[in-house]
Amino acid sequence: MGTIQEEIKRRRTFAIISHPDAGKTTLTEKFLLFGGAIQTAGAVKNNKITKTAASDFMEIERQRGISVATSVMAFHYKDRLINLLDTPGHRDFAEDTYRTLTAVDSVILVVDCVKGVEAQTERLMEVCRMRNTPVIVFINKMDLEGQDPFDLLDELEEKLQIQVRPLSWPISGGQSFKGVYSLYQKELRLFNPDKTKIAKEVLSIEDIADPLLDDLVTTEHAEQLRKDVELIEGVYEEWDASPYLEGELAPVFFGSAVNNFGIQEMLDTFIEIAPDPRPRSTDVREVVPTEPKFTGFIFKIHANIDPRHRDRIAFMRVCSGQFKRNTFFTHTRLQKKLKFANPATFLAQDKNLVDEAWPGDVVGLYDTGTFKIGDTMTEGEDMQFRGIPSFSPEIFKELVNKDPMKSKQLEKGIQQLTDEGVAQLFVRELGNRKIVGTVGELQFEVIQYRLEHEYGAKCEFQAKKYYKACWIVSEDEKKLEEFKRIKGTEMVKDKDGNDVFLAPSKFLLDMEISNYPDLTFHFTSEFKTAQAS
Ligand code: G4P
């Protein structure tokens, strides 16, 4: 164990994100292989939800049980301690991914070289941009006939609204893929399709004019590489890590995850340039990781859906100080002191760490319903971490109770499930009607199933045609009251009691925005931070 400064410096906490099928799972697995955390390929695969039926989801959850091993994967690589946070690949669980992104310090975004930037890639990038999260892009599947690399870079800049800077460059692609040239390390790696081994043929080529290059990759490809590198050096500015750390520039790597190719260069560069645990803002002040007193927040709650063991694990990101087992900390929302006898950490190789955790680490806390997403733990200071916004859901349905004898169970069940972040709950004060909002249809099936199996309550969902949920605030109380009165049934409260307008259509929303200039319509719940920054 080192000093707090040493422990922080060592840590890299990040997530791999991608549009489904771009290669996130494969890349994760290769990282774990490099880190020695797993011995064979295929170990991470079973975590994937490929089908869209709730029954498949439920089956996977049941198999995983409370084993949260793949939610956070911690491993050593060189002298670093890497915390890789898993994000669900399924689009319907996008909210879960957004929340996980609040707990990381940087991300690696995987893009398929054939498909380029896809819908989910854009949305994920938007979330990264909101928080200025540093992004490294990995262009995957270079063994397939993909788009021209320059076109891909242009597409990244245009669709993701971020400047890019290649740090490696492919030599041809598809059938004739020869390898990548590292512009950063000035090294050539020759491609050798092999799913099990790690590319070893690394050649240091200081000067690409060297005729050795022609021998290695043919004159045609060597000439092309020289031209490309000249163009890159002409177009892109010299590599500088500071705009990357500000979230303004994304370094780009090319490779093939399934072939274990181009990954080590990226990992080596990653541990060098990626940020160590960063400060985080709260409602009262910014918390710096080196502060001696412990703070942390809950960004994810994983429930065991087996009704015989209804326990949950709350995932807490440590933000400052040192977390210790069996030590009392304050749950600031409840103003309650709690201690944890069996906090779970996720480092398979190093059992000593179970008793303590440092900034950047994630601790799993066994929970029986005390935690909500966003809850803050401290050594007594009253504060609440910010930056865990809710986004407007895309699908809205009204929850209808099908068994009046079980309304208490239904009430408790839906509260707990929404505290876990399975979906968002909006309550219409008049008549206590409940509108559930999600990103995908799958969650409704999951909620219905879980309410029945875990809480013994039966429900049905009635589709509601809303376009968006908008969080509404105004300095002018009177105007706000007037709007609320006029909108009547379209006004609801979110989980924290904020006023939310469920806009029926884009047209009507635009109209209200121009009719009510004194009101501000926000599309995420965390408008206070958005305004302040
Ligand atoms: P995801 O987690 O982002 O959804 O993607 P995942 O890693 O599961 O990869 C999606 C598919 O792309 C997989 O094929 C995987 O083998 C393949 N893949 C990943 N990297 C590369 C690459 O560099 N080149 C090529 N050609 N394919 C790659 P699958 O058929 O869906 O699964 P599997 O049966 O191969 O496991």
Side-chain angles (χ1 to χ4, degrees):
M1 190 180 99
T3 63
I4 183 163
Q5 282 84 358
E6 285 163 355
E7 293 295 339
I8 292 168
K9 264 208 159 108
R10 235 151 63 78
R11 280 166 169 75
R12 297 288 180 276
T13 301
F14 80 112
I16 302 179
I17 53 177
S18 78
H19 188 91
D21 268 350
K24 178 177 76 71
T25 315
T26 315
L27 184 63
T28 302
E29 191 169 279
K30 303 298 171 183
F31 273 5
L32 296 183
L33 279 171
F34 278 113
I38 54 168
Q39 308 309 324
T40 51
V44 185
K45 208 64 194 174
N46 55 8
N47 182 15
K48 213 175 130 179
I49 307 163
T50 45
K51 311 229 175 76
T52 45
S55 54
D56 294 316
F57 169 75
M58 247 48 98
E59 190 46 42
I60 289 164
E61 285 295 281
R62 200 173 303 112
Q63 283 168 13
R64 287 171 76 181
I66 202 93
S67 129
V68 286
T70 56
S71 286
V72 183
M73 292 155 276
F75 59 95
H76 288 292
Y77 182 70
K78 301 200 168 161
D79 54 350
R80 300 277 191 254
L81 197 160
I82 300 180
N83 292 307
L84 170 49
L85 275 50
D86 189 34
T87 57
H90 199 290
R91 187 195 164 278
D92 286 8
F93 292 85
E95 280 260 354
D96 215 19
T97 301
Y98 302 156
R99 281 192 297 261
T100 298
L101 292 183
T102 64
V104 302
D105 300 300
S106 72
V107 305
I108 292 182
L109 175 66
V110 187
V111 174
D112 180 328
C113 73
V114 182
K115 296 189 176 141
V117 172
E118 298 172 83
Q120 190 64 8
T121 330
E122 287 185 53
R123 297 196 48 172
L124 289 163
M125 187 63 212
E126 259 171 55
V127 179
C128 293
R129 235 193 342 263
M130 280 174 66
R131 312 170 42 80
N132 299 326
T133 308
V135 177
I136 291 179
V137 176
F138 181 69
I139 300 196
N140 190 26
K141 308 199 185 178
M142 288 307 293
D143 57 316
L144 301 180
E145 301 294 334
Q147 300 176 33
D148 176 76
F150 282 110
D151 291 349
L152 281 166
L153 294 182
D154 288 346
E155 188 183 339
L156 289 172
E157 289 208 329
E158 194 185 311
K159 292 199 176 156
L160 302 183
Q161 294 169 44
I162 186 162
Q163 269 187 291
V164 297
R165 171 63 164 101
L167 285 189
S168 78
W169 195 252
I171 304 172
S172 190
Q175 291 282 328
S176 59
F177 182 45
K178 295 281 178 229
V180 290
Y181 179 68
S182 164
L183 299 157
Y184 186 65
Q185 291 153 320
K186 304 238 182 294
E187 277 172 357
L188 180 73
R189 268 173 212 259
L190 294 176
F191 180 59
N192 167 23
D194 189 333
K195 297 189 184 173
T196 52
K197 281 202 297 266
I198 292 162
K200 293 233 165 55
E201 289 95 309
V202 184
L203 298 157
S204 179
I205 297 199
E206 276 295 329
D207 180 4
I208 50 171
D210 191 334
L212 176 66
L213 187 65
D214 299 62
D215 298 342
L216 292 168
V217 302
T218 76
T219 301
E220 183 198 343
H221 292 308
E223 279 305 310
Q224 187 64 45
L225 178 68
R226 289 176 189 125
K227 267 198 242 158
D228 288 351
V229 171
E230 201 185 318
L231 189 60
I232 292 165
E233 281 166 2
V235 172
Y236 297 99
E237 283 184 31
E238 185 109 338
W239 162 250
D240 172 13
S242 31
Y244 155 69
L245 293 172
E246 300 290 318
E248 288 162 6
L249 179 128
V252 180
F253 291 85
F254 293 83
S256 169
V258 80
N259 290 300
N260 236 332
F261 191 76
I263 293 170
Q264 190 160 14
E265 297 85 319
M266 181 168 65
L267 187 55
D268 285 343
T269 316
F270 167 82
I271 59 164
E272 220 177 282
I273 66 171
D276 49 29
R278 305 207 297 175
R280 288 192 144 59
S281 56
T282 71
D283 56 350
V284 287
R285 65 181 184 87
E286 188 176 73
V287 172
V288 181
T290 46
E291 288 177 22
K293 288 197 172 163
F294 159 77
T295 63
F297 69 90
I298 307 292
F299 64 95
K300 173 175 173 153
I301 295 173
H302 186 115
N304 188 351
I305 64 166
D306 181 342
R308 286 164 301 171
H309 309 276
R310 209 162 76 198
D311 43 2
R312 320 196 288 180
I313 286 196
F315 289 81
M316 180 179 69
R317 148 112 192 184
V318 179
C319 296
S320 68
Q322 189 186 9
F323 171 85
K324 290 198 192 104
R325 193 167 79 92
N326 269 332
T327 303
F328 278 104
F329 293 117
T330 305
H331 182 308
T332 60
R333 180 175 55 87
L334 303 177
Q335 281 298 319
K336 202 167 147 184
K337 283 198 185 308
L338 301 171
K339 66 173 180 175
F340 303 91
N342 298 303
T345 53
F346 304 93
L347 193 71
Q349 305 127 306
D350 195 350
K351 293 269 184 281
N352 303 333
L353 268 170
V354 177
D355 283 335
E356 66 198 27
W358 298 93
D361 286 343
V362 172
V363 182
L365 305 173
Y366 288 91
D367 171 42
T368 47
T370 355
F371 287 116
K372 269 196 204 186
I373 303 263
D375 278 347
T376 299
M377 298 291 295
T378 68
E379 286 192 24
E381 187 173 349
D382 190 9
M383 58 162 78
Q384 190 73 32
F385 278 97
R386 282 233 189 109
I388 310 169
S390 301
F391 295 84
S392 173
E394 291 172 24
I395 307 173
F396 298 87
K397 292 189 183 187
E398 182 167 343
L399 180 74
V400 182
N401 186 3
K402 293 303 282 176
D403 183 352
M405 303 296 288
K406 297 281 169 66
S407 48
K408 262 201 179 140
Q409 284 86 338
L410 185 78
E411 186 84 24
K412 180 171 175 214
I414 195 71
Q415 279 301 343
Q416 289 204 345
L417 294 188
T418 47
D419 282 354
E420 272 173 35
V422 178
Q424 288 182 56
L425 181 65
F426 300 104
V427 180
R428 192 175 288 160
E429 281 174 315
L430 206 65
N432 189 28
R433 301 181 97 166
K434 294 184 173 57
I435 311 284
V436 176
T438 69
V439 180
E441 285 289 346
L442 187 50
Q443 272 105 328
F444 290 104
E445 289 180 50
V446 170
I447 294 169
Q448 203 165 18
Y449 180 98
R450 290 189 54 191
L451 282 175
E452 189 168 338
H453 289 81
E454 293 170 38
Y455 299 90
K458 278 203 168 62
C459 75
E460 207 177 71
F461 286 104
Q462 256 172 26
K464 292 277 163 196
K465 270 210 159 31
Y466 292 120
Y467 164 67
K468 251 192 172 86
C470 311
W471 282 262
I472 300 215
V473 282
S474 179
E475 301 255 300
D476 188 338
E477 274 297 318
K478 262 193 167 155
K479 275 271 183 261
L480 184 62
E481 283 311 315
E482 178 194 314
F483 184 80
K484 281 162 66 174
R485 200 180 59 229
I486 294 173
K487 288 294 144 200
T489 57
E490 283 152 10
M491 288 305 299
V492 289
K493 296 265 187 200
D494 76 356
K495 63 175 184 352
D496 301 316
N498 297 312
D499 288 314
V500 175
F501 169 49
L502 300 175
S505 69
K506 179 164 184 347
F507 174 77
L508 285 166
L509 175 61
D510 290 344
M511 204 167 80
E512 300 305 359
I513 292 175
S514 65
N515 284 349
Y516 286 88
D518 299 323
L519 304 191
T520 321
F521 295 69
H522 296 279
F523 298 105
T524 77
S525 66
E526 217 165 73
F527 37 83
K528 287 186 203 100
T529 329
Q531 268 180 345
S533 60

